[in-house]
Structure formats: structure tokens, C-alpha cells
Amino acid sequence: MALILFALGLVWVVSGAGLVLKTAATRRFYQDMVPADKVRRYAIPAMLLGAVLLIGAFTSQRYFWWPLVLGGIALAKGVYLLKADATQVQGLLHYWYEEAPEDTLRLVGLVIYSLGAALLGLLF
């Protein structure tokens, strides 16, 4: 469980730092990595990660709340990507890829970075 949490924390720190420091380049990277028309293929991995985190939360004595919360969010994200109307999901991604102000993306990057740093701090 600690390895999965470490990987998530590291990804969050890198993603958050990228959004804060290189906002436009990180936005383009995400746009290339997750095209709006093919986002549904990420629903199953998100749901699997959520299930692993939820199961891990109840099997780990040291870590409980972080995997529980992150697993619930990942599971909800996967269900949303599967069940939501395709135009709604594409509209949401279009906003983040094209219309969101850079200040908003930097704030989101700061929050993501902080969550990743807090998660890594919990592990060490």
C-alpha cells in the first residue's frame, strides 16, 4: 500500500509543480495524453485503482484515511467517466484544456502539489 501511495504522491508533486511552473506546456501535455474524445478509456483503470486503494485502506493498519479517501474519489471518477454524457465530459475537458485561466490552473497545481507533498510526508 505504501508503494502505491508513494507513486500517487510523486505523480501529484510532479503534476502540481508542472502546472505552477510551466502551465502552458503542462496543459498541452495533458491535452495530448488524455484527448477529450477518448477519455472514457481511463474509466476502468481509475475504478481499478480506486478499488485497490479501498481494499488496501482496510488491510493496512498504518494507513487508513488517505487510501480510503483517494480510493473513493478514484472510484467516483471512474463511474462518472463511464456514466456521464459524452458531451458533458468533453465540455469539462475543453474548459480545462482551452478556456481555464492560467491563474486557475496554477492554483489547482498548487493544491495538487500540496496534497502530494502531504501524502509523501505521511509516508516518511
Side-chain angles (χ1 to χ4, degrees):
M1 179 55 49
L3 183 63
I4 294 172
L5 293 176
F6 177 77
L8 281 175
L10 196 61
V11 167
W12 283 0
V13 165
V14 170
S15 297
L19 278 173
V20 170
L21 299 174
K22 296 285 188 177
T23 307
T26 305
R27 182 187 278 194
R28 281 191 308 273
F29 172 75
Y30 287 139
Q31 195 170 11
D32 293 341
M33 192 172 116
V34 184
D37 57 340
K38 297 181 181 178
V39 74
R40 289 201 188 267
R41 73 171 104 167
Y42 293 99
I44 300 300
M47 291 171 62
L48 288 174
L49 178 64
V52 166
L53 286 169
L54 286 173
I55 291 168
F58 290 102
T59 60
S60 173
Q61 292 180 356
R62 183 171 178 203
Y63 313 110
F64 177 73
W65 289 107
W66 274 100
L68 183 72
V69 171
L70 296 176
I73 291 170
L75 199 57
K77 177 182 176 179
V79 169
Y80 173 76
L81 290 176
L82 278 180
K83 298 294 182 181
D85 184 38
T87 57
Q88 183 181 17
V89 174
Q90 288 178 355
L92 181 66
L93 289 177
H94 175 74
Y95 171 75
W96 284 106
Y97 291 157
E98 303 292 336
E99 299 172 8
E102 284 197 11
D103 291 342
T104 302
L105 292 176
R106 285 190 180 110
L107 178 62
V108 169
L110 187 60
V111 170
I112 292 171
Y113 179 87
S114 299
L115 286 173
L119 182 57
L120 291 176
L122 171 75
L123 297 173
F124 294 108

